[in-house]
Amino acid sequence: MASKKIIAICQSGGEFVTNNEDGFLTYTGGEAYALDIDDQTVLADFKKEVAENFQCGTEGMTIKYFLPGNKKTLITISKDKDLKRMINFVKDSDQVEIFIIYDKAVVKNTPIVSGSRSTTASEAGLTPATPVDMIHCDDLLGADAAIDNTPLGVYPGSNDENNEKTRRAATQWENTITGVGQRFNSFAEFREALHKYSIAHGFTYRYKKNDSRRVTAKCKVEGCSWCIYASRLPTTQLICIKKMNGKHTCDGAAVKAAYRSTRGWMGSIIKEKLKVAPNYKPKDIAKDIEREYGIQLNYSQARRAKEKAREQLQGSFKEAYSQLPLFCEKIRETNPGSVATIVTKEDSSFHRLFIAFHASISGFQQGCRPLLFLDSTLLYAKYQGTLLAAVGVDGNDGVFPVAFAVVDEETNDNWHWFLSELKSAVSGSCPITFISDFQRGIRESLQNVFGEECYHGFCLRYLAEKLNNDLKGQFSHEARRLMIQDLYAAACAPKRESFDRCVENIKAISPEVYNWVTRSEPEHWANAFFCGARYDHLTSNFGQPFYDWVAEVNELPITQMVDVLRGKIMELIYTRRVESSQWVTTLTPLMEQKLQSETSRARSLHLLPSYGSRYEVRGESVELVDTDPWDCSCREWQINGLPCCHAIAVSESLGRSSYEHCSPYFSTESYHATYAESINPIPHLEKPIKGEPDMEHTVIVVTPPPTKRPPGRPKMKKVDTFDIVKRQMQCSKCKGLGHNKKTCGKVNNIEEQDPLVHEQDPLLLNGLVTVELEENAESMELESSFPM
């Protein structure tokens, strides 16, 4: 059975008067509207309907009513249950009086919400000092644009000083409309010009016609003769003003302009500044808008306006996802041999995108050493996501981006997919060494995808950071610093003997930490045990310059972000090709410098022939060089790819060139091969014309992923491990960590048990605490959470 409808007489803008005789309250003045309600009405929807009728916002709105027969006490409706209770109270009546009350502070700053019609603020019951006309939202955006009802600010008409600011700032808009015959590129451009013109001349208007073929606007004052008519020129896309009566027969021109600013309109104001200063901060936007236009914005409003301006300049984030299939096709067309793959979910929402340009693939295969650094970075665009990357290293130890992918989130499945695509793009006969963190997803994916064709080195930075986190609260700052320093030394040690010395230093500080280190699979991070070729690169953040590029563009729509990265890689390849064309050395400049340094050291060494092809080389240490396989017992040669000073000394004594024993990846010739290919530009993506289907290709509609950027400040970048070893608070009494003497629980407990202990013998207290700590230390074991 249908619920009974009750007429709610909503009143606002008046005031309550108390009758001196009986104390009853009477509401006088203001405006009233009648709305239908029943027991199915939701409070939030009811507030919105009230706001539309009174032309005001819902913020600061309080709804009150009288109980039947009681005109002395007002009851507040703050939740749906209160509204249903009121309906139950008046169910025997056909109507109920409801009073809409606004907080004065909120009314002063709350934007007026446009409904189905536009009224003055005095009509809405806000009783400002002077009447303030409001422009309808359609006036700002137009019929062919998305209507954005998010208010950004109100310019109070009663503030003469602010009015004067606006009048001065709006002077530049007085001639945005010049008269009949003026042309515009679109209706949106015409509407924006009309809006600025009305502000500059201090009047408000309303649309009589507003569609994709014509726009007719008239002054809002009844009877005023000002009007304007614009329509599309035949056979063109241009918009032309056909009729205009520029004279007002009302006092509209004398009214101080006050208006509601939407994100779209505010974005159109700041987009020109955003072109010049892409890092225009929201707080600076708010200051400039208030100074130039007298409109007060808070930080979030300024940020949203900046996002709208970016969208106007760069395009829609949502539209960028729909362009991805065509974008990938253009990459493959303009750069043959490139890999551009997009994968969607069952609901056609974006899942992942893989990009590897032919120039990057060829450069890695022809000239780079088989070494790749895997890492990820978060994207902070509207729909967020994560960028996965594989970065190589050229012969001059420069960053060489090979491939990257944009995925909806960092998961084991996405890493497996990325590595599978990477293998199909860069697979060769030589095993590849990967350096990454030791998360289980990457480890398992490398084993499943590459199998025995790769070596996996753990990033030393991640390893040291994990150790530091596990040590917090158990060791002093100095002890942690020394142990992490010894961990780095152990990782860099070329031989087993030096590795053992470093970990023994850790054992002297803590046997538990020593056990942690030995269980952390040193064969994946220590030079003394690692089987692959890392060329002395121990951390995965080698590709930081590439991730800095990503940080500069990670707020762009996805197609523009990828294209900007393409442009940066294209510029990098061209610049290094031009620079290297002037090189005349056999090796790249950096490697040539390292080789000459080792050659200088070799002159002070003494050689003793041993037997066969072996030589004993004496210097700071005694090493054995074998010329048959050409290796040295110091192992620096095998680790770095450049001959050590011992090998150079033997080579020169035999009259051979040391260049013969350098890795071919360090030669200038290999460097030229790395940057031999070029990346070609991608033509601008044109929007497909509606109604004209593509007969050659099946249209794939890609929608944005369901995830959006979370609220709050983004996480900071990871810092170097030695920077995060911060000094901890240490108690001066018990010498414990993480607290001071005032909050020391052990000392306070002892003093409570025997208050005379501290007074009689201060040393006794420290002795008791020290003994207790030593007993706890003996039983304490460092729990290892290292993934096995």
Side-chain angles (χ1 to χ4, degrees):
M1 185 174 64
S3 302
K4 178 184 177 181
K5 294 287 186 180
I6 298 176
I7 300 175
I9 302 175
C10 305
Q11 305 178 63
S12 182
E15 59 181 359
F16 288 99
V17 178
T18 304
N19 190 315
N20 294 329
E21 296 180 0
D22 53 18
F24 285 0
L25 295 175
T26 305
Y27 195 77
T28 61
E31 299 292 331
Y33 288 93
L35 303 176
D36 290 335
I37 60 174
D38 56 29
D39 55 7
Q40 303 298 319
T41 302
V42 179
L43 180 60
D45 296 338
F46 180 63
K47 281 188 173 183
K48 289 181 182 178
E49 189 174 2
V50 170
E52 289 178 359
N53 280 275
F54 284 108
Q55 297 292 294
C56 56
T58 58
E59 183 180 358
M61 177 191 293
T62 302
I63 301 177
K64 295 180 179 291
Y65 69 99
F66 287 119
L67 289 173
N70 184 351
K71 293 289 186 177
K72 295 182 179 180
T73 305
L74 285 166
I75 307 300
T76 302
I77 300 176
S78 58
K79 51 184 180 291
D80 289 330
K81 186 179 293 185
D82 296 338
L83 182 61
K84 294 184 185 302
R85 187 178 293 115
M86 180 198 73
I87 294 173
N88 187 52
F89 287 154
V90 298
K91 62 183 178 181
D92 295 332
S93 176
D94 293 330
Q95 64 183 35
V96 59
E97 286 187 311
I98 293 178
F99 307 99
I100 312 301
I101 302 172
Y102 278 89
D103 178 60
K104 293 183 178 180
V106 174
V107 169
K108 184 178 180 181
N109 297 300
T110 300
I112 293 183
V113 177
S114 295
S116 58
R117 70 180 190 90
S118 299
T119 62
T120 64
S122 59
E123 291 173 349
L126 300 184
T127 62
T130 58
V132 182
D133 282 346
M134 309 306 296
I135 294 178
H136 194 279
C137 182
D138 290 348
D139 296 353
L140 306 184
L141 299 177
D144 59 347
I147 296 178
D148 187 348
N149 287 324
T150 304
L152 286 180
V154 167
Y155 181 75
S158 59
N159 191 322
D160 292 337
E161 180 181 354
N162 285 341
N163 275 326
E164 187 59 29
K165 282 184 181 180
T166 299
R167 293 298 297 166
R168 289 198 303 267
T171 302
Q172 57 182 317
W173 297 338
E174 289 181 349
N175 296 318
T176 54
I177 299 291
T178 57
V180 175
Q182 186 179 1
R183 298 176 183 180
F184 302 88
N185 293 322
S186 64
F187 278 116
E189 182 180 333
F190 168 71
R191 294 185 187 98
E192 182 178 344
L194 179 59
H195 181 52
K196 292 179 178 179
Y197 178 84
S198 69
I199 294 172
H201 292 272
F203 71 96
T204 56
Y205 60 92
R206 59 184 176 86
Y207 287 126
K208 289 191 66 179
K209 298 289 184 181
N210 185 18
D211 53 42
S212 60
R213 295 183 295 108
R214 64 192 184 280
V215 172
T216 303
K218 297 192 66 176
C219 178
K220 185 173 288 187
V221 178
E222 192 68 29
C224 181
S225 61
W226 186 95
C227 64
I228 189 170
Y229 170 75
S231 63
R232 194 182 304 278
L233 287 174
T235 70
T236 72
Q237 297 297 317
L238 297 177
I239 310 304
C240 181
I241 298 178
K242 302 292 184 63
K243 297 179 182 178
M244 180 177 177
N245 183 351
K247 294 183 180 180
H248 287 270
T249 57
C250 64
D251 58 352
V255 176
K256 301 298 183 182
Y259 51 93
R260 190 193 70 181
S261 304
T262 65
R263 281 187 295 180
W265 185 81
M266 193 63 65
S268 67
I269 292 179
I270 67 174
K271 68 179 180 182
E272 295 302 324
K273 293 184 178 180
L274 206 58
K275 289 181 182 178
V276 180
N279 295 324
Y280 198 16
K281 297 180 179 179
K283 64 178 182 179
D284 296 330
I285 292 175
K287 290 179 181 178
D288 292 346
I289 292 297
E290 182 177 9
R291 183 182 67 252
E292 296 176 11
Y293 303 101
I295 303 174
Q296 294 183 351
L297 307 179
N298 59 33
Y299 183 89
S300 61
Q301 291 168 339
R303 179 181 57 78
R304 292 197 299 269
K306 179 181 177 181
E307 290 178 350
K308 192 65 177 180
R310 274 184 171 173
E311 185 173 313
Q312 293 175 3
L313 289 173
Q314 302 162 354
S316 166
F317 286 91
K318 183 177 180 179
E319 187 178 277
Y321 283 97
S322 66
Q323 293 177 335
L324 278 176
L326 179 60
F327 184 69
C328 291
E329 183 180 338
K330 293 295 183 182
I331 290 177
R332 294 188 292 267
E333 287 179 1
T334 55
N335 294 269
S338 300
V339 180
T341 307
I342 180 174
V343 178
T344 61
K345 296 182 178 179
E346 294 181 356
D347 59 355
S348 296
S349 63
F350 173 80
H351 191 16
R352 43 204 181 194
L353 170 73
F354 179 87
I355 301 292
F357 294 100
H358 171 68
S360 298
I361 297 172
S362 175
F364 175 75
Q365 293 175 332
Q366 301 299 324
C368 288
R369 62 198 92 167
L371 175 65
L372 287 175
F373 301 87
L374 303 178
D375 211 341
S376 63
T377 182
L378 288 175
L379 303 176
Y380 298 109
K382 183 176 182 180
Y383 295 99
Q384 209 182 14
T386 302
L387 185 138
L388 313 179
V391 178
V393 52
D394 63 26
N396 201 43
D397 266 0
V399 172
F400 186 76
V402 176
F404 61 91
V406 178
V407 296
D408 52 358
E409 57 182 333
E410 185 175 5
T411 62
N412 296 348
D413 179 57
N414 280 335
W415 268 115
H416 187 278
W417 174 82
F418 173 70
L419 293 174
S420 299
E421 294 291 321
L422 181 65
K423 181 181 180 181
S424 64
V426 301
S427 60
S429 58
C430 183
I432 300 176
T433 297
F434 292 94
I435 300 179
S436 71
D437 63 7
F438 41 79
Q439 62 174 286
R440 190 175 300 277
I442 296 180
R443 296 185 65 186
E444 293 181 348
S445 297
L446 283 173
Q447 294 172 2
N448 295 334
V449 176
F450 286 89
E452 300 296 328
E453 301 176 14
C454 74
Y455 301 99
H456 186 198
F458 293 163
C459 173
L460 185 58
R461 181 172 60 95
Y462 282 98
L463 186 70
E465 184 178 337
K466 178 172 180 55
L467 176 60
N468 177 66
N469 291 335
D470 288 347
L471 297 180
K472 280 183 178 179
Q474 303 179 42
F475 298 92
S476 67
H477 167 270
E478 186 65 15
R480 284 188 294 134
R481 186 186 67 81
L482 290 175
M483 285 189 284
I484 290 178
Q485 183 175 327
D486 288 333
L487 179 70
Y488 268 79
C492 297
K495 295 190 288 188
R496 174 66 182 264
E497 296 78 13
S498 50
F499 173 86
D500 290 339
R501 285 196 298 268
C502 294
V503 295
E504 285 296 328
N505 292 336
I506 297 177
K507 187 176 183 180
I509 300 176
S510 171
E512 289 78 16
V513 178
Y514 168 82
N515 293 333
W516 189 98
V517 172
T518 56
R519 290 198 300 265
S520 63
E521 302 178 84
E523 64 272 15
H524 285 285
W525 55 268
N527 279 338
F529 307 103
F530 190 70
C531 297
R534 292 186 295 181
Y535 299 90
D536 214 23
H537 290 285
L538 304 181
T539 60
S540 62
N541 65 335
F542 170 80
Q544 191 57 48
F546 175 74
Y547 298 110
D548 291 340
W549 291 349
V550 177
E552 294 174 4
V553 299
N554 66 6
E555 293 187 359
L556 294 176
I558 186 169
T559 51
Q560 293 194 32
M561 181 191 71
V562 172
D563 195 48
V564 172
L565 293 178
R566 177 205 57 80
K568 288 184 176 294
I569 299 174
M570 178 180 67
E571 183 181 5
L572 175 75
I573 291 176
Y574 174 79
T575 302
R576 289 182 176 174
R577 183 194 305 131
V578 173
E579 290 177 351
S580 63
S581 65
Q582 306 298 321
W583 296 351
V584 294
T585 55
T586 304
L587 303 182
T588 61
L590 180 61
M591 298 307 166
E592 188 74 34
Q593 181 182 353
K594 290 182 177 181
L595 182 64
Q596 295 306 321
S597 176
E598 291 296 314
T599 303
S600 299
R601 294 176 57 194
R603 296 192 180 100
S604 61
L605 301 178
H606 300 282
L607 302 182
L608 293 175
S610 179
Y611 61 91
S613 60
R614 299 189 176 187
Y615 291 81
E616 183 179 296
V617 183
R618 292 180 177 271
E620 295 180 358
S621 62
V622 179
E623 303 296 345
L624 184 64
V625 177
D626 191 342
T627 60
D628 190 8
W630 280 106
D631 61 14
C632 180
S633 60
C634 74
R635 298 195 74 249
E636 294 288 349
W637 190 0
Q638 296 90 316
I639 293 173
N640 299 328
L642 284 175
C644 59
C645 59
H646 315 105
I648 293 174
V650 173
S651 178
E652 291 184 346
S653 70
L654 298 175
R656 302 182 63 171
S657 172
S658 56
Y659 290 107
E660 298 178 15
H661 312 301
C662 296
S663 170
Y665 301 114
F666 299 152
S667 67
T668 300
E669 183 181 356
S670 293
Y671 191 90
H672 288 160
T674 302
Y675 297 101
E677 299 290 340
S678 300
I679 295 180
N680 300 320
I682 300 175
H684 179 70
L685 296 178
E686 298 291 343
K687 297 180 182 178
I689 300 176
K690 295 181 179 179
E692 296 184 7
D694 190 347
M695 302 301 294
E696 298 182 0
H697 305 91
T698 303
V699 179
I700 302 175
V701 180
V702 181
T703 59
T707 56
K708 287 190 176 183
R709 180 175 58 198
R713 186 184 298 274
K715 294 181 179 179
M716 300 297 291
K717 293 182 179 179
K718 294 182 179 180
V719 298
D720 188 76
T721 305
F722 288 110
D723 293 335
I724 63 175
V725 182
K726 297 180 180 179
R727 187 176 299 277
Q728 286 184 278
M729 184 185 299
Q730 187 173 19
C731 179
S732 60
K733 289 186 175 181
C734 74
K735 307 304 179 185
L737 299 175
H739 65 275
N740 55 27
K741 63 181 182 180
K742 291 184 178 180
T743 58
C744 181
K746 293 183 175 64
V747 174
N748 293 335
N749 290 338
I750 294 174
E751 290 182 348
E752 289 175 1
Q753 295 172 7
D754 190 354
L756 299 178
V757 169
H758 185 62
E759 296 177 4
Q760 293 174 355
D761 190 351
L763 296 177
L764 177 61
L765 176 61
N766 288 336
L768 292 173
V769 174
T770 303
V771 170
E772 183 178 354
L773 289 175
E774 289 176 350
E775 292 175 350
N776 291 337
E778 291 177 357
S779 60
M780 180 190 68
E781 292 185 359
L782 181 65
E783 180 182 356
S784 174
S785 56
F786 194 89
M788 302 300 291

